[in-house]
Amino acid sequence: MKYLYLFLFIAGTSVVYAQSAIEKGDLYFDFFHYKEASKEYEKALKKERTYKNEAHLLTNLAYSYLYTFQYGKALNVFEELVKIGDKKPNEQVYLDYANLLKIIGNYPKAKEQFKYYGTLTKKSGYVMQLERSLNWAIKHNDSINKKVLIAKTNIDVSGQSLGYTLFDNGIIYAQAKDTNYSEYTTLFDLRFAKQIDSVTFKQEQEYVGLITFPFNEGSPAISADGQVLYFSATTALLKKGKPVVAKEISNDGVSNLKIYSAELVNGEFTNITEMPFNHKDYSNITPFISEDGNTLYFASDMPGGYGGLDIYRCNKLGDGRWSSPINLGDKINTKEHDSYPFIIGNKFYFTSKGHLGFGGYDIFEATIAQNAVFSDVRNMGKPINSSKDDVALIFNKDKSSGYLSSNRDDANGFDYVYYFNTNYMPPPVVTTILAQTDSVKNQETIAANFTNSNSSSQKNSTSSSNDKLKQKDVHTHSKPEPHTAYFEFDSYQATSEDLNNMQLFADYWKQHKNQFIKLKAFADCRGNAAYNYKLATKRATTFYNQLVKLGVNSNKILIVSIGENESLKECITCSACTDQQHAKNRRVEVIIK
């Protein structure tokens, strides 16, 4: 996963010369343009399918769907493919069909197909390994770590995550150059987004604008001091505004990926340098630089590995040069793809399809000894992993939260970036709605100029804001619009109308249980920041308790407490704000993610 589109096929043939839909599809397929190929094969199924060509047509269509992670569509074609009688597909088709069944979570049928693959190939040892992995998935399928929170972010990776790195209160990631990525194969550029909260980011035009490769850019990694950015890019470079590729393609006509470094100069990454271990005949991707800057980890399909992508490291020598790549060995690498290395403390994280997992790509943790020996490789379990593809885990500095990518929630195979927290403790559930007590204001020291001049009339004027929910039939399951609830001064008691509106969110969630309900809580600027943060949290907890009481899974409710840090800046200073302006900041925003 996250590898098939990263290289570029260079050839002179164009699909415009092809005549039939099958011929066009075959050319697209050979060029790795699987989305375009699938469209042509779909046409051919309706108009050109014959007894002689159906095996070829179904095979290429099945793999076009599989390579674009459209598992539902791929399954339908694979099922038809394995039923075509005496025109039996090759052995690999049965193996990939079994693996696909595992990815979608149909473990019993996957076991049958693995056994059938074994009867065809007589590879009993390999089949035993496949069944061992499947039995592991069955055993651990219902084991979910309830202390781990997973929440979808708004980072737009254009449906295919190519990795990311945290930088300057934000994130550097890859995004498609074109907006039609859902229909056509497209190329990716590096982008920067500023972090608003754990799950919300705003794209900015900063830092990576001088990295101008004409084709693919992705898998960024930043040095500990923030001064050097490592990333992968298709080897062609721009020269006088035109791509130069003649000396960069392999003997097979492929422009592979290489790893580059860039230095931060005057707020922009520039001085792009190619790493010395690159080669035109294979790809190097997903770099990660150690905290001391002396070891660079990356994935490569260079000759001599265990199979697919392996993870390697290069050490910086005394004179500043880099050593030759060193394979991390069979404790980490497998016959399948292994990639996306990440280290924090003495823990090594990576993505693999070859270790014991739930189906697709899973994320694994290993321990690093002082002599660079890896041990105790373990699957990170659910909900970090799913039966689909989970990749590119990175941690924040707190060592308990971070980000990963997954296509678990999308039938079209699109990736989304998820925030995770391994030490998430949801607020306690209470059976009655919290009410304010007279002692609340005494829990923290209040500023001397703190005045309680707000009235209920000001609260009522804001409660009729333009994003207030329309009261519809509570059985309607259309996605509710974001709802904003406002609070009295120094209060976390919600109105009965606001609480009743949570029924719409609960009803919708019960039909879409993969989604999250985000509670973003604010306070006005009066009082000290610590007190306002706690007050905002209590306001969010009021709605949290109501949603749980209405049947929403507590792990699917995300509280984001802002306090006074994002006040609506309608007045120059806090003391200059009117009561009406203060009232607009005492709110909780309820959003379906």
Side-chain angles (χ1 to χ4, degrees):
M1 187 183 179
K2 318 309 148 218
Y3 176 60
L4 292 167
Y5 295 162
L6 284 173
F7 48 76
L8 183 73
F9 192 86
I10 308 295
T13 308
S14 173
V15 294
V16 298
Y17 299 113
Q19 299 299 316
S20 70
I22 293 181
E23 289 173 329
K24 290 181 181 179
D26 288 347
L27 281 171
Y28 279 128
F29 192 90
D30 291 341
F31 279 34
F32 314 113
H33 283 54
Y34 300 115
K35 291 182 181 179
E36 292 84 349
S38 64
K39 294 179 185 295
E40 297 300 327
Y41 291 138
E42 288 166 357
K43 295 176 185 177
L45 273 178
K46 296 178 180 179
K47 298 181 179 180
E48 301 176 22
R49 182 174 182 172
T50 68
Y51 180 82
K52 292 183 178 180
N53 69 21
E54 66 177 352
H56 167 77
L57 180 56
L58 290 172
T59 299
N60 279 20
L61 179 58
Y63 282 100
S64 294
Y65 288 144
L66 183 64
Y67 293 158
T68 52
F69 316 108
Q70 299 180 75
Y71 294 135
K73 290 183 177 180
L75 182 66
N76 291 335
V77 181
F78 269 105
E79 287 179 342
E80 186 174 1
L81 182 59
V82 299
K83 293 178 181 178
I84 59 176
D86 59 343
K87 301 187 297 299
K88 286 185 178 179
N90 61 43
E91 298 165 352
Q92 186 65 37
V93 167
Y94 288 99
L95 176 61
D96 291 332
Y97 175 47
N99 281 321
L100 179 56
L101 288 166
K102 184 181 177 185
I103 288 173
I104 66 170
N106 190 341
Y107 295 149
K109 194 168 183 179
K111 180 175 287 190
E112 293 177 3
Q113 290 300 315
F114 281 135
K115 289 182 177 179
Y116 183 61
Y117 170 76
T119 63
L120 291 176
T121 62
K122 311 302 181 183
K123 297 179 179 179
S124 58
Y126 182 46
V127 171
M128 287 178 63
Q129 178 183 338
L130 294 171
E131 291 184 335
R132 177 170 170 259
S133 180
L134 184 62
N135 290 334
W136 183 94
I138 294 171
K139 179 180 179 181
H140 294 86
N141 188 44
D142 296 326
S143 299
I144 300 176
N145 188 343
K146 295 183 179 180
K147 292 184 179 180
V148 177
L149 170 75
I150 300 287
K152 187 186 296 184
T153 75
N154 71 335
I155 299 173
D156 180 11
V157 294
S158 305
Q160 182 179 350
S161 179
L162 304 181
Y164 30 72
T165 189
L166 299 173
F167 176 73
D168 193 27
N169 296 319
I171 196 165
I172 297 174
Y173 63 105
Q175 188 181 69
K177 297 175 186 283
D178 302 314
T179 58
N180 60 357
Y181 60 85
S182 62
E183 298 293 327
Y184 302 100
T185 304
T186 187
L187 303 170
F188 284 74
D189 275 340
L190 291 179
R191 296 282 190 266
F192 173 77
K194 193 172 185 64
Q195 184 175 19
I196 305 302
D197 58 50
S198 297
V199 296
T200 310
F201 293 77
K202 180 182 179 181
Q203 185 171 309
E204 304 281 358
Q205 301 298 320
E206 294 180 327
Y207 302 118
V208 292
L210 298 181
I211 300 176
T212 55
F213 286 74
F215 302 121
N216 278 309
E217 304 164 8
S219 58
I222 196 72
S223 62
D225 60 7
Q227 297 301 301
V228 182
L229 179 71
Y230 297 89
F231 62 95
S232 301
T234 312
T235 54
L237 288 168
L238 284 177
K239 186 175 184 180
K240 296 182 179 180
K242 297 181 179 180
V244 178
V245 298
K247 296 181 180 180
E248 300 294 341
I249 59 176
S250 70
N251 294 330
D252 296 328
V254 174
S255 184
N256 284 298
L257 281 151
K258 294 184 177 181
I259 294 176
Y260 297 83
S261 66
E263 298 176 343
L264 186 63
V265 180
N266 297 325
E268 292 284 344
F269 284 105
T270 186
N271 299 336
I272 298 170
T273 302
E274 181 182 333
M275 300 305 290
F277 47 79
N278 290 323
H279 197 283
K280 68 182 180 66
D281 286 329
Y282 51 81
S283 285
N284 295 325
I285 62 173
T286 65
F288 174 81
I289 187 68
S290 63
E291 187 174 9
D292 61 9
N294 291 328
T295 306
L296 186 72
Y297 297 85
F298 61 96
S300 176
D301 60 353
M302 69 177 67
Y306 291 89
L309 291 168
D310 279 7
I311 302 177
Y312 293 80
R313 62 180 170 88
C314 287
N315 300 320
K316 185 174 286 187
L317 306 176
D319 57 3
R321 293 181 299 120
W322 291 91
S323 71
S324 297
I326 303 169
N327 191 296
L328 295 193
D330 60 3
K331 293 291 185 182
I332 300 296
N333 293 312
T334 67
K335 293 181 179 180
E336 305 285 350
H337 290 323
D338 306 283
S339 61
Y340 289 108
F342 184 88
I343 296 174
I344 188 164
N346 70 333
K347 297 299 183 182
F348 181 84
Y349 297 90
F350 65 104
T351 295
S352 177
K353 202 174 183 179
H355 291 277
L356 298 178
F358 291 102
Y361 289 84
D362 278 4
I363 297 166
F364 296 84
E365 178 191 81
T367 301
I368 312 174
Q370 291 184 350
N371 56 358
V373 173
F374 296 88
S375 62
D376 302 325
V377 175
R378 71 173 186 91
N379 188 299
M380 292 195 71
K382 292 184 176 183
I384 293 293
N385 290 313
S386 67
S387 67
K388 292 188 178 178
D389 300 302
D390 310 287
V391 303
L393 178 141
I394 63 174
F395 273 94
N396 290 312
K397 291 183 179 179
D398 62 13
K399 299 184 180 182
S400 62
S401 66
Y403 298 90
L404 61 89
S405 294
S406 178
N407 59 10
R408 65 184 67 185
D409 293 330
D410 192 274
N412 294 316
F414 288 168
D415 286 337
Y416 297 95
V417 179
Y418 292 80
Y419 167 79
F420 70 86
N421 190 325
T422 59
N423 287 324
Y424 179 69
M425 296 297 292
V429 179
V430 297
T431 56
T432 58
I433 301 302
L434 294 172
Q436 179 185 0
T437 66
D438 293 337
S439 62
V440 167
K441 290 201 297 182
N442 296 325
Q443 293 177 13
E444 296 284 345
T445 303
I446 310 285
N449 63 351
F450 198 95
T451 58
N452 186 359
S453 58
N454 190 48
S455 66
S456 60
S457 62
Q458 292 156 350
K459 164 68 189 302
N460 293 334
S461 66
T462 57
S463 64
S464 59
S465 64
N466 57 8
D467 62 351
K468 179 181 175 182
L469 287 176
K470 296 179 180 180
Q471 293 299 312
K472 297 182 179 180
D473 183 352
V474 295
H475 297 294
T476 300
H477 296 310
S478 58
K479 184 176 181 179
E481 293 295 322
H483 175 64
T484 301
Y486 294 91
F487 292 79
E488 296 280 5
F489 168 74
D490 199 26
S491 170
Y492 52 90
Q493 185 172 8
T495 67
S496 59
E497 183 179 10
D498 286 330
L499 292 172
N500 289 337
N501 278 330
M502 294 305 99
Q503 185 69 57
L504 293 175
F505 287 87
D507 289 343
Y508 179 81
W509 179 86
K510 290 173 184 176
Q511 301 299 318
H512 305 83
K513 292 186 177 181
N514 285 329
Q515 298 202 24
F516 286 79
I517 300 177
K518 176 181 174 182
L519 305 174
K520 194 172 182 180
F522 304 82
D524 67 36
C525 56
R526 295 178 293 181
N528 67 55
Y531 179 81
N532 287 334
Y533 178 85
K534 291 181 179 180
L535 181 59
T537 302
K538 291 176 181 178
R539 286 169 175 165
T541 303
T542 298
F543 290 100
Y544 171 93
N545 291 329
Q546 179 71 356
L547 289 165
V548 170
K549 188 167 71 172
L550 292 172
V552 178
N553 187 324
S554 62
N555 287 329
K556 292 294 185 177
I557 307 172
L558 177 64
I559 291 179
V560 180
S561 187
I562 305 298
E564 66 181 56
N565 292 329
E566 291 182 24
S567 297
L568 299 174
K569 304 298 184 182
E570 296 186 351
C571 39
I572 299 175
T573 63
C574 184
S575 59
C577 286
T578 65
D579 290 336
Q580 185 69 25
Q581 290 168 331
H582 281 308
K584 291 181 179 180
N585 285 312
R586 298 193 297 268
R587 68 192 192 277
V588 170
E589 297 172 358
V590 187
I591 306 166
I592 290 282
K593 295 292 290 182

